[in-house]
Amino acid sequence: MDIATSKPQAAWDARGIAFAVAVIALALIPWFTGSVFHFHIAIMICLGAMAAAGLGTIAWVGQLSLAHGAFVGIGAYSCVLMVMRLGVPFVVGLPLAALVTGAIAYVIGTPLLRLRGVYFVLITFALNELFRLVMLEFPSVSGGSSGIAAIPKISLFGLVLRDQQSVYVFTLAMLALVMAFVWSIRRGPLGRRFAAVEENLELAEASGIPTARTQNTAFVIGSAIAGFTGAIMAHYIGFISPESFGFQLSVSYVIILVTGGRLALAGPLVGAIFLTPLPEFLRSAQEYQHIIYGVVLIVVLRFLPEGLAGLPKRLAGKGRSQS
């Protein structure tokens, strides 16, 4: 019995080690090439993976939010306004932006999470558009359609990260922090509650799990991670406007999550690694980008329902069945 159970565990350990080695090798590519462009792509992969990890937290309780781009925008504007108008240091504004975003998500989520399925998806779509329109109507806060430019660079205790190499190290560290936080949730009692609600909402409710509170907790955590990502993104890019956080941004995070693996811990990272560089390879066929994205998504949903993160497990299962 011990021998039988140890083989799958050993296979999982081997796949985990191989995945970690592959991720480390990919993370080192910008330093091998020395290309500023490669550093930029790597930074955007980190930001995309962080935001998708927040969306994945919401997906763990069986909900799909199309307002994720709006919460990224709330975090971006919160941090930028605190730094530029209140003189708050970035290292203080960054966690505060996540807290502000989480608080707004709590206020919004408490009544809205009574809606389920397609109704929740539709209302989050409306929220994303509402955020964009409201910010356009208050140019004194958002800069209107002109946005806010000349945003200060990321600064850590007086050390300004002026070059992309140092920004990449910082975003890589923040990605590791977010993934470790998400992993700790999944491994703990809260993660087990999330899984129970996602698997069977009615059964979880009958078992005494407060499903509404559990879903709201996931929504707050996922949105706070989105706000955290938005704050870093704003200070890296140096410009934000309401149009930066439209519906298309939310859809891109959904595609990253679904392609990587909706319920897989590594899904956001795998999806971001695969999809973030894709537009750069498709520059010569820019008018077909959305079509190609759609084809990729259909292929993944049809042949890899667990996403790209589930591909090694699927191949290992086929290998065992053939042997």
Side-chain angles (χ1 to χ4, degrees):
M1 192 70 175
D2 292 338
I3 295 173
T5 54
S6 66
K7 285 182 179 179
Q9 184 64 43
W12 273 109
D13 291 343
R15 286 198 293 270
I17 292 171
F19 177 76
V21 171
V23 169
I24 292 171
L26 289 171
L28 292 175
I29 286 176
W31 275 290
F32 285 124
T33 64
S35 168
V36 173
F37 171 72
H38 290 161
F39 275 109
H40 171 71
I41 292 296
I43 292 168
M44 297 309 294
I45 288 173
C46 292
L47 294 174
M50 276 193 279
L55 187 61
T57 305
I58 301 171
W60 287 351
V61 293
Q63 296 284 28
L64 179 64
S65 173
L66 290 181
H68 212 60
F71 288 108
V72 172
I74 291 171
Y77 273 107
S78 298
C79 190
V80 167
L81 292 175
M82 281 188 282
V83 170
M84 295 184 71
R85 299 191 182 180
L86 300 180
V88 175
F90 173 78
V91 290
V92 177
L94 178 59
L96 283 180
L99 290 174
V100 168
T101 308
I104 294 173
Y106 177 80
V107 173
I108 293 174
T110 301
L112 292 188
L113 282 163
R114 299 180 186 276
L115 300 171
R116 292 170 183 170
V118 67
Y119 301 104
F120 179 78
V121 174
L122 289 174
I123 200 67
T124 53
F125 163 73
L127 280 173
N128 203 122
E129 286 300 291
L130 181 64
F131 168 78
R132 185 180 65 85
L133 294 173
V134 167
M135 296 306 282
L136 284 172
E137 291 297 321
F138 291 92
S140 59
V141 175
S142 66
S145 58
S146 300
I148 299 176
I151 297 172
K153 294 183 180 295
I154 296 171
S155 176
L156 305 175
F157 306 104
L159 176 65
V160 180
L161 307 185
R162 300 187 184 279
D163 57 86
Q164 289 182 310
Q165 290 91 333
S166 55
V167 174
Y168 178 45
V169 172
F170 173 74
T171 53
L172 205 57
M174 293 301 100
L175 173 61
L177 180 66
V178 167
M179 296 304 291
F181 174 63
V182 171
W183 177 83
S184 67
I185 292 175
R186 172 166 287 205
R187 300 285 291 184
L190 184 58
R192 289 191 287 274
R193 278 167 50 193
F194 286 176
V197 171
E198 193 278 333
E199 187 171 345
N200 193 317
L201 183 68
E202 289 75 16
L203 181 59
E205 204 163 43
S207 302
I209 295 176
T211 55
R213 193 193 316 160
T214 300
Q215 287 185 321
N216 199 22
T217 301
F219 188 65
V220 168
I221 292 172
S223 300
I225 293 173
F228 185 83
T229 306
I232 299 172
M233 184 187 299
H235 285 268
Y236 166 61
I237 295 175
F239 171 81
I240 55 173
S241 75
E243 299 297 338
S244 305
F245 309 104
F247 175 65
Q248 186 60 41
L249 183 63
S250 294
V251 171
S252 68
Y253 292 140
V254 171
I255 294 174
I256 286 173
L257 180 64
V258 173
T259 302
R262 186 175 65 90
L263 299 178
L265 181 64
L269 180 58
V270 174
I273 290 172
F274 179 72
L275 288 176
T276 303
L278 199 57
E280 303 304 327
F281 295 116
L282 299 175
R283 279 190 179 275
S284 58
Q286 192 166 4
E287 63 272 19
Y288 302 114
Q289 281 187 17
H290 295 298
I291 297 174
I292 295 172
Y293 271 125
V295 170
V296 169
L297 191 58
I298 290 170
V299 169
V300 169
L301 290 173
R302 173 62 182 86
F303 298 103
L304 295 170
E306 295 180 354
L308 293 175
L311 184 58
K313 180 181 176 182
R314 196 178 183 90
L315 293 174
K318 285 185 177 180
R320 284 197 297 270
S321 63
Q322 289 174 357
S323 63

